[in-house]
């Protein structure tokens, strides 16, 4: 095996090893995501696409060369097989055909596994991001549920407080209304008493007025009688003189 095909075979074995490692079930995608997020990958990320395309081009070139070799030695193998006069040449051609077919399989599987490896890394990265987003969404949903539950409990508590407050206000209003009714009855009673007292006072005033008028009349009459008595007394004195 020449150096280039030995390198392709080593590259194929490395690809198979990486794919097997990526497919291990006990390594979660989040762990691979952490490994892919190392700073060293960020440094070589700029050269990754160029290296990927370069390796694809090299593998395609080697694959086409292997196809050419297979076709070449297949036709030569058919010619040598039809001619039985040169058995050594036939064996040599068959050996080269086997090598060209081996190189074809190596390059074909290398190219195939290289594409699979690129796709596998992309899927692992996407799966890790989706799982991370799922974890974040789960935490957000739990926080939202807890907040909603807390708001519902707070709402129920406020409703109970408002209901109790309404009941207390209703009791207070009933007590105030009852007190106002009692005060109204007291004022009404006091007003009736004051009205009775006023009526009694007016009656007493009327009686006193009548009594004073009667006394004035009697006083006037007494003054009149007194003046008449004085006049009579004066006339009697004059006659006696």
């Amino acid at each position: 095996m020449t150096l280039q095909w030995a390198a392709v075979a080593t590259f194929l074995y490395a690809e198979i090893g990486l794919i097997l490692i990526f497919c291990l079930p006990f390594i979660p995608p989040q762990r691979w995501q952490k490994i892919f997020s190392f700073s060293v990958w960020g440094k070589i990320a700029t050269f990754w696409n160029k290296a990927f395309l370069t390796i694809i081009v090299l593998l395609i070139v080697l694959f086409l060369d292997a196809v050419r070799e297979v076709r070449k030695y297949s036709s030569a193998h058919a010619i040598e097989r039809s001619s039985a006069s040169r058995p050594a040449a036939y064996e040599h051609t068959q050996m080269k055909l086997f090598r060209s077919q081996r190189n074809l399989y190596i390059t074909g599987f290398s190219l195939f596994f290289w594409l699979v490896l690129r796709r596998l890394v992309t899927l692992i990265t996407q799966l890790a991001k989706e799982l991370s987003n799922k974890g974040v969404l789960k935490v957000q949903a739990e926080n939202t549920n807890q907040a909603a539950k807390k708001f519902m409990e707070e709402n129920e508590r406020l409703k109970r407080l408002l209901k109790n407050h309404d009941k207390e206000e209703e009791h207070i209003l009933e007590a105030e209304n009852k007190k106002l009714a009692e005060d109204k009855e007291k004022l009404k009673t006091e007003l009736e008493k004051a009205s009775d007292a006023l009526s009694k006072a007016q009656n007493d005033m009327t009686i006193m007025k009548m009594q004073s008028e009667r006394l004035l009349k009697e006083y006037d009459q007494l003054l009149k009688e007194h003046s008449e008595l004085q006049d009579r007394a004066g006339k009697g004195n004059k006659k006696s003189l």
Side-chain angles (χ1 to χ4, degrees):
M1 184 181 290
T2 59
L3 182 62
Q4 62 178 4
W5 297 115
V8 174
T10 304
F11 184 73
L12 175 62
Y13 300 150
E15 288 177 330
I16 294 173
L18 287 175
I19 291 174
L20 290 176
I21 293 174
F22 285 146
C23 292
L24 291 176
F26 55 85
I27 302 178
Q30 293 87 346
R31 183 66 58 82
W32 289 117
Q33 178 66 20
K34 291 180 180 179
I35 294 174
F36 295 155
S37 61
F38 287 163
S39 59
V40 64
W41 301 113
K43 294 179 180 179
I44 65 174
T46 55
F47 305 101
W48 169 249
N49 290 327
K50 294 181 180 179
F52 178 77
L53 294 175
T54 302
I55 292 174
I56 286 180
V57 171
L58 290 176
L59 291 175
I60 290 174
V61 171
L62 292 175
F63 180 77
L64 294 176
D65 183 64
V67 171
R68 182 184 63 80
E69 292 290 329
V70 169
R71 294 182 63 182
K72 173 183 175 182
Y73 290 112
S74 294
S75 59
H77 175 70
I79 294 172
E80 293 293 337
R81 187 175 184 180
S82 61
S83 175
S85 60
R86 300 175 62 187
Y90 173 75
E91 294 295 334
H92 182 71
T93 304
Q94 188 177 11
M95 181 184 64
K96 287 188 176 182
L97 177 62
F98 171 76
R99 289 178 179 177
S100 62
Q101 289 176 345
R102 178 201 62 190
N103 296 335
L104 176 66
Y105 295 146
I106 289 174
T107 54
F109 280 109
S110 296
L111 180 60
F112 173 73
F113 284 138
W114 183 241
L115 296 175
V116 170
L117 188 62
R118 172 66 179 269
R119 184 60 178 170
L120 185 61
V121 171
T122 303
L123 291 176
I124 289 175
T125 305
Q126 291 178 355
L127 181 60
K129 290 181 180 179
E130 292 296 330
L131 291 175
S132 300
N133 294 331
K134 182 180 178 182
V136 173
L137 292 176
K138 185 178 180 180
V139 173
Q140 290 179 354
E142 291 178 354
N143 294 332
T144 303
N145 290 330
Q146 291 178 358
K149 186 177 180 181
K150 184 177 179 181
F151 288 151
M152 290 177 66
E153 292 176 353
E154 186 69 18
N155 191 16
E156 292 294 330
R157 188 178 67 83
L158 291 175
K159 284 183 179 180
R160 289 195 298 269
L161 291 175
L162 183 60
K163 188 176 181 180
N164 294 329
H165 183 67
D166 292 338
K167 288 183 178 179
E168 290 178 358
E169 286 187 350
E170 186 177 355
H171 291 314
I172 292 172
L173 290 175
E174 288 180 357
E176 289 181 354
N177 290 330
K178 187 176 180 180
K179 185 178 180 181
L180 289 174
E182 292 176 354
D183 293 339
K184 181 180 178 182
E185 293 295 330
K186 288 180 181 179
L187 291 174
K188 187 176 180 181
T189 304
E190 291 177 358
L191 182 61
E192 290 178 354
K193 290 180 180 180
S195 298
D196 294 338
L198 181 61
S199 299
K200 186 177 180 181
Q202 287 179 352
N203 292 330
D204 293 339
M205 185 177 177
T206 303
I207 292 171
M208 290 178 65
K209 185 177 181 181
M210 292 175 64
Q211 290 177 355
S212 62
E213 289 178 354
R214 188 179 64 185
L215 288 173
L216 287 172
K217 288 180 180 181
E218 291 179 354
Y219 180 73
D220 290 338
Q221 188 175 359
L222 289 174
L223 286 176
K224 187 177 180 182
E225 290 178 354
H226 180 68
S227 61
E228 288 179 356
L229 290 173
Q230 284 182 351
D231 291 338
R232 289 179 182 176
K235 288 181 181 181
N237 292 328
K238 288 180 179 180
K239 287 181 178 180
S240 61
L241 295 174

XYZ file of all heavy atoms in Angstrom, residues 58-95:
303
model
N -10.013 16.193 -2.093
C -8.960 15.168 -2.182
C -9.546 13.766 -2.237
O -9.097 12.921 -3.040
C -8.018 15.295 -0.980
C -7.114 16.534 -0.951
C -6.318 16.566 0.358
C -6.167 16.537 -2.148
N -10.559 13.525 -1.415
C -11.180 12.202 -1.423
C -11.895 11.929 -2.741
O -11.869 10.792 -3.250
C -12.162 12.071 -0.248
C -11.521 12.024 1.149
C -12.599 12.023 2.223
C -10.625 10.789 1.280
N -12.534 12.953 -3.283
C -13.208 12.765 -4.574
C -12.178 12.458 -5.670
O -12.389 11.588 -6.532
C -14.041 14.012 -4.930
C -15.253 14.117 -3.991
C -14.509 13.955 -6.384
C -16.054 15.391 -4.176
N -11.054 13.189 -5.633
C -10.001 12.937 -6.628
C -9.469 11.521 -6.495
O -9.323 10.785 -7.487
C -8.879 13.976 -6.476
C -7.668 13.590 -7.345
C -9.373 15.361 -6.869
N -9.216 11.093 -5.245
C -8.712 9.738 -5.026
C -9.770 8.694 -5.392
O -9.440 7.613 -5.921
C -8.297 9.569 -3.560
C -7.065 10.378 -3.134
C -6.838 10.231 -1.630
C -5.835 9.910 -3.907
N -11.042 9.034 -5.121
C -12.105 8.104 -5.475
C -12.200 7.937 -6.985
O -12.343 6.810 -7.503
C -13.432 8.601 -4.898
C -14.602 7.736 -5.203
C -14.811 6.540 -4.515
C -15.526 8.095 -6.194
C -15.882 5.737 -4.802
C -16.606 7.284 -6.493
C -16.792 6.101 -5.790
N -12.120 9.049 -7.715
C -12.161 8.968 -9.181
C -10.934 8.225 -9.725
O -11.051 7.462 -10.702
C -12.244 10.375 -9.779
C -13.537 11.148 -9.470
C -13.465 12.564 -10.041
C -14.746 10.415 -10.058
N -9.800 8.431 -9.092
C -8.601 7.705 -9.518
C -8.757 6.206 -9.270
O -8.352 5.373 -10.105
C -7.386 8.240 -8.768
C -6.098 7.569 -9.219
O -5.716 7.733 -10.393
O -5.496 6.859 -8.381
N -9.387 5.872 -8.114
C -9.623 4.462 -7.824
C -10.616 3.870 -8.806
O -10.448 2.711 -9.257
C -10.131 4.308 -6.386
N -11.633 4.637 -9.182
C -12.592 4.155 -10.190
C -11.894 3.912 -11.516
O -12.145 2.909 -12.220
C -13.750 5.164 -10.338
C -14.634 4.800 -11.527
C -14.572 5.218 -9.060
N -11.020 4.868 -11.877
C -10.273 4.708 -13.134
C -9.410 3.444 -13.092
O -9.353 2.684 -14.063
C -9.404 5.935 -13.369
C -8.608 5.913 -14.674
C -7.701 7.127 -14.758
N -6.714 7.121 -13.689
C -5.581 6.389 -13.706
N -5.312 5.602 -14.752
N -4.738 6.438 -12.705
N -8.727 3.215 -11.951
C -7.881 2.037 -11.825
C -8.714 0.753 -11.891
O -8.307 -0.244 -12.525
C -7.097 2.082 -10.506
C -6.044 3.178 -10.429
C -4.869 2.897 -11.342
O -4.569 1.711 -11.553
O -4.255 3.863 -11.847
N -9.890 0.770 -11.262
C -10.748 -0.416 -11.302
C -11.184 -0.720 -12.729
O -11.172 -1.882 -13.181
C -11.962 -0.233 -10.377
C -13.008 -1.330 -10.604
C -11.520 -0.243 -8.923
N -11.618 0.316 -13.430
C -12.044 0.110 -14.810
C -10.874 -0.354 -15.675
O -11.033 -1.218 -16.554
C -12.632 1.403 -15.364
C -13.909 1.826 -14.677
C -14.473 3.072 -15.298
N -14.840 2.857 -16.695
C -15.322 3.804 -17.505
N -15.474 5.041 -17.032
N -15.620 3.516 -18.741
N -9.702 0.205 -15.430
C -8.519 -0.159 -16.214
C -8.159 -1.624 -16.018
O -8.003 -2.388 -16.989
C -7.362 0.743 -15.808
C -6.026 0.361 -16.429
C -4.927 1.277 -15.907
C -3.566 0.823 -16.431
N -2.454 1.663 -15.894
N -8.080 -2.018 -14.752
C -7.646 -3.390 -14.493
C -8.776 -4.399 -14.689
O -8.524 -5.587 -14.856
C -7.073 -3.503 -13.081
C -5.750 -2.788 -12.927
C -5.642 -1.646 -12.139
C -4.620 -3.245 -13.594
C -4.428 -0.988 -12.014
C -3.403 -2.584 -13.473
C -3.307 -1.453 -12.686
O -2.109 -0.794 -12.572
N -10.016 -3.916 -14.681
C -11.128 -4.833 -14.993
C -11.071 -5.239 -16.460
O -11.237 -6.424 -16.814
C -12.466 -4.159 -14.675
O -12.593 -3.937 -13.299
N -10.825 -4.246 -17.317
C -10.714 -4.561 -18.746
C -9.459 -5.407 -19.021
O -9.491 -6.365 -19.788
C -10.676 -3.272 -19.564
O -9.566 -2.464 -19.172
N -8.364 -5.048 -18.339
C -7.145 -5.834 -18.516
C -7.320 -7.241 -17.961
O -6.814 -8.213 -18.520
C -5.984 -5.135 -17.818
N -8.062 -7.379 -16.872
C -8.319 -8.680 -16.279
C -9.132 -9.554 -17.230
O -8.871 -10.765 -17.381
C -9.065 -8.495 -14.958
C -9.492 -9.790 -14.328
N -8.576 -10.683 -13.774
C -10.728 -10.360 -14.176
C -9.233 -11.731 -13.294
N -10.530 -11.562 -13.529
N -10.095 -8.943 -17.915
C -10.903 -9.696 -18.871
C -10.052 -10.168 -20.055
O -10.196 -11.294 -20.545
C -12.069 -8.836 -19.364
N -9.106 -9.287 -20.488
C -8.260 -9.658 -21.615
C -7.315 -10.782 -21.221
O -7.151 -11.780 -21.943
C -7.477 -8.437 -22.114
C -8.449 -7.390 -22.698
C -6.430 -8.828 -23.147
C -7.798 -6.070 -23.051
N -6.698 -10.636 -20.022
C -5.754 -11.657 -19.585
C -6.442 -12.981 -19.290
O -5.886 -14.053 -19.466
C -5.005 -11.169 -18.334
C -4.085 -9.990 -18.560
C -2.909 -10.360 -19.459
O -2.570 -11.545 -19.550
O -2.338 -9.434 -20.088
N -7.694 -12.877 -18.851
C -8.428 -14.123 -18.546
C -8.776 -14.879 -19.834
O -8.781 -16.121 -19.867
C -9.701 -13.774 -17.778
C -10.439 -15.006 -17.277
C -11.622 -14.591 -16.432
N -12.283 -15.754 -15.867
C -13.354 -15.690 -15.083
N -13.869 -14.499 -14.760
N -13.898 -16.794 -14.627
N -9.068 -14.109 -20.901
C -9.392 -14.771 -22.176
C -8.157 -15.422 -22.809
O -8.253 -16.344 -23.594
C -9.991 -13.757 -23.159
O -9.039 -12.723 -23.421
N -6.993 -14.887 -22.404
C -5.753 -15.465 -22.935
C -5.115 -16.317 -21.849
O -4.612 -15.781 -20.859
C -4.800 -14.329 -23.366
O -3.581 -14.877 -23.771
N -5.109 -17.601 -22.019
C -4.581 -18.531 -20.994
C -3.110 -18.817 -21.193
O -2.537 -19.642 -20.489
C -5.380 -19.839 -21.051
N -2.476 -18.129 -22.160
C -1.059 -18.415 -22.445
C -0.122 -17.748 -21.454
O 1.036 -18.131 -21.352
C -0.716 -17.943 -23.882
O -0.943 -16.546 -23.985
N -0.599 -16.698 -20.701
C 0.242 -15.958 -19.768
C -0.403 -15.975 -18.379
O -1.050 -15.018 -17.964
C 0.432 -14.531 -20.247
C 1.101 -14.449 -21.631
C 1.174 -13.027 -22.122
N 1.976 -12.191 -21.236
C 2.081 -10.866 -21.372
N 1.433 -10.244 -22.349
N 2.821 -10.182 -20.532
N -0.290 -17.038 -17.618
C -0.920 -17.115 -16.285
C -0.286 -16.152 -15.295
O -0.961 -15.634 -14.406
C -0.689 -18.568 -15.882
C 0.485 -19.016 -16.673
C 0.425 -18.269 -17.980
N 0.981 -15.861 -15.364
C 1.616 -14.933 -14.418
C 1.079 -13.522 -14.597
O 0.829 -12.798 -13.633
C 3.127 -14.960 -14.613
N 0.893 -13.110 -15.850
C 0.334 -11.783 -16.117
C -1.096 -11.686 -15.615
O -1.542 -10.643 -15.115
C 0.399 -11.498 -17.609
N -1.822 -12.776 -15.730
C -3.204 -12.807 -15.244
C -3.245 -12.620 -13.731
O -4.057 -11.851 -13.199
C -3.859 -14.113 -15.667
C -5.239 -14.328 -15.072
C -6.333 -13.621 -15.557
C -5.424 -15.222 -14.018
C -7.578 -13.804 -15.004
C -6.673 -15.407 -13.462
C -7.760 -14.694 -13.948
O -9.011 -14.866 -13.408
N -2.362 -13.320 -13.025
C -2.316 -13.190 -11.571
C -1.897 -11.781 -11.153
O -2.456 -11.203 -10.203
C -1.341 -14.217 -10.996
C -1.757 -15.669 -11.162
C -3.024 -15.999 -10.380
O -3.289 -15.307 -9.358
O -3.749 -16.924 -10.786
N -0.951 -11.204 -11.855
C -0.511 -9.832 -11.552
C -1.643 -8.825 -11.785
O -1.856 -7.897 -10.980
C 0.704 -9.495 -12.414
C 1.266 -8.132 -12.154
N 1.950 -7.805 -10.998
C 1.235 -6.991 -12.930
C 2.307 -6.540 -11.039
N 1.887 -6.030 -12.231
N -2.378 -8.992 -12.869
C -3.501 -8.097 -13.154
C -4.603 -8.254 -12.115
O -5.225 -7.279 -11.671
C -4.064 -8.388 -14.560
O -2.999 -8.271 -15.525
C -5.164 -7.424 -14.901
N -4.837 -9.491 -11.701
C -5.864 -9.736 -10.681
C -5.467 -9.088 -9.355
O -6.332 -8.543 -8.644
C -6.055 -11.245 -10.513
C -7.230 -11.598 -9.620
C -7.440 -13.108 -9.532
O -6.575 -13.873 -9.981
N -8.569 -13.496 -8.963
N -4.191 -9.131 -9.020
C -3.729 -8.506 -7.784
C -3.916 -6.987 -7.847
O -4.375 -6.346 -6.885
C -2.259 -8.840 -7.564
C -1.684 -8.249 -6.289
S 0.091 -8.576 -6.125
C 0.718 -7.666 -7.517
